[in-house]
Amino acid sequence: MSPEPGADALTCRDLIDFLRAYLDGELPPELRQRFEDHVDACPPCLHYLDSYRETVSLCAEAFDACVPDCAVPDEVPEELVRAVLASRPPRS
Amino acid sequence: MADPAGDEERALLAALRAGDDGAYERLVREHAPRMLAVARRLLGDGEHARDAVQEAFGSAFRAIGSFAGQARLSTWLHRIVVNAALMKLRTRRRKPEQPLDDLLPQFEPDGHRRDAGAPWQPAERLERRELRKLVRDGIERLPEAHRTVLVLRDIEELDTAEVAELLGVSTGVVKTRLHRARQALRTLLDPHLRAGGG
């Protein structure tokens, strides 16, 4: 379920710990290489990496204002608009 | 070069500062829907979200005279409503939450993974509309502290330093919460999206 461990090979747990930093480009080159070596040799971690990326992308899409069932309402309740306008400061 | 959006916004700002009723109404009708959506993402679809929008506009009206116009009005209002929603989050009673650790990957003592996992095939398994609902429901199930960071970073697209400042925590805490929130959401989505699953 994971690559044959070498002296400095990462475990699956290490990979999860470093995953966000890897995607954000925060890993130093040597650690990045070890991360990629592990992913190349470990299909479960490859699946995990792909599905983690997909999760991030689905989050953005779930609330995308450009899709028909998006969470941005076409209009707000009239009662709220009235309450907001009523709260504006008086003209000076 | 002409900047029609900028010219229009400058005219609106001038009208607001002059106390023009129509300008206030236009500002509210134009920006309230998006502000309500932001508040709902952080507070859920209830009176707290509506209150946050009302309070955000109250803050904006008080500050409109000092708004320098360096950012777009929409960006400025976004920041204000996020702040208002976070204030509400701090003061409201929390609902019972599922422990996040239950949703994180499990490992053998030697660090190997317990679950071999499977690739995802979301496009084949679900309609996009259904998928978006699944993701929104999953986010709603996350513990509040983690959901807040996920919403601010991955949906509202604030950067780590901004989120840390808004929440009064270190950037390291933001990064850790974000990573754990994404992992937990991935676990919630996994049964629906893995190839051959569901």
Side-chain angles (χ1 to χ4, degrees):
Chain A
M1 207 176 284
S2 68
E4 284 301 311
D8 59 353
L10 301 184
T11 64
C12 301
R13 187 199 297 271
D14 296 331
L15 184 119
I16 298 288
D17 288 345
F18 292 134
L19 205 161
R20 186 210 53 79
Y22 172 78
L23 292 177
D24 285 347
E26 293 175 2
L27 291 186
E30 187 269 340
L31 189 50
R32 186 175 183 84
Q33 186 59 54
R34 287 165 60 198
F35 184 101
E36 289 173 351
D37 289 345
H38 180 102
V39 172
D40 285 345
C42 182
C45 281
L46 174 62
H47 299 328
Y48 196 91
L49 174 62
D50 287 344
S51 58
Y52 183 99
R53 276 194 177 117
E54 181 76 16
T55 300
V56 177
S57 145
L58 287 172
C59 268
E61 193 186 324
F63 293 99
D64 189 336
C66 300
V67 296
D69 65 331
C70 68
V72 177
D74 289 336
E75 55 185 33
V76 296
E78 192 58 27
E79 162 194 2
L80 175 59
V81 172
R82 293 285 142 218
V84 166
L85 289 171
S87 72
R88 55 175 280 215
R91 282 179 194 239
S92 51
Chain B
M1 184 184 277
D3 175 8
D7 288 346
E8 204 173 304
E9 206 156 282
R10 272 190 289 277
L12 177 61
L13 263 177
L16 288 168
R17 285 170 181 153
D20 181 278
D21 291 341
Y24 272 91
E25 180 148 358
R26 192 180 140 205
L27 180 83
V28 174
R29 292 201 183 277
E30 198 170 302
H31 294 277
R34 195 162 292 273
M35 290 168 72
L36 185 58
V38 173
R40 282 177 175 165
R41 290 199 277 272
L42 287 162
L43 294 163
D45 183 14
E47 66 178 301
H48 288 297
R50 292 192 294 275
D51 288 349
V53 170
Q54 190 169 346
E55 284 161 24
F57 272 113
S59 303
F61 293 163
R62 286 190 296 278
I64 202 84
S66 55
F67 174 58
Q70 285 165 327
R72 298 292 304 264
L73 258 176
S74 55
T75 308
W76 182 64
L77 291 169
H78 180 263
R79 175 84 180 206
I80 291 175
V81 76
V82 165
N83 262 314
L86 292 179
M87 286 291 286
K88 281 252 166 287
L89 272 181
R90 285 186 200 112
T91 54
R92 79 174 181 183
R93 185 186 295 243
R94 292 193 178 194
K95 292 182 289 187
E97 297 176 329
Q98 179 176 9
L100 194 83
D101 285 351
D102 294 353
L103 298 172
L104 299 180
Q106 303 295 311
F107 300 95
E108 302 295 346
D110 63 1
H112 289 179
R113 189 185 295 278
R114 279 200 185 140
D115 172 15
W120 279 10
Q121 293 182 326
E124 291 174 22
R125 297 195 57 78
L126 291 169
E127 296 285 337
R128 300 311 283 184
R129 186 189 181 92
E130 193 184 347
L131 187 51
R132 284 192 288 271
K133 168 122 182 28
L134 206 58
V135 175
R136 292 201 290 260
D137 290 348
I139 292 171
E140 185 59 32
R141 285 179 59 188
L142 299 178
E144 188 173 289
H146 292 82
R147 185 179 71 245
T148 302
V149 170
L150 182 89
V151 168
L152 293 177
R153 282 286 284 111
D154 284 347
I155 298 165
E156 303 305 331
E157 298 182 333
L158 302 186
D159 66 32
T160 301
E162 282 179 291
V163 176
E165 188 192 332
L166 281 166
L167 298 179
V169 297
S170 69
T171 54
V173 167
V174 171
K175 289 176 180 180
T176 302
R177 285 187 193 166
L178 176 64
H179 185 38
R180 288 165 66 86
R182 287 170 173 175
Q183 289 178 76
L185 181 59
R186 198 214 70 90
T187 300
L188 291 171
L189 297 176
D190 188 53
H192 304 278
L193 301 183
R194 61 163 64 199

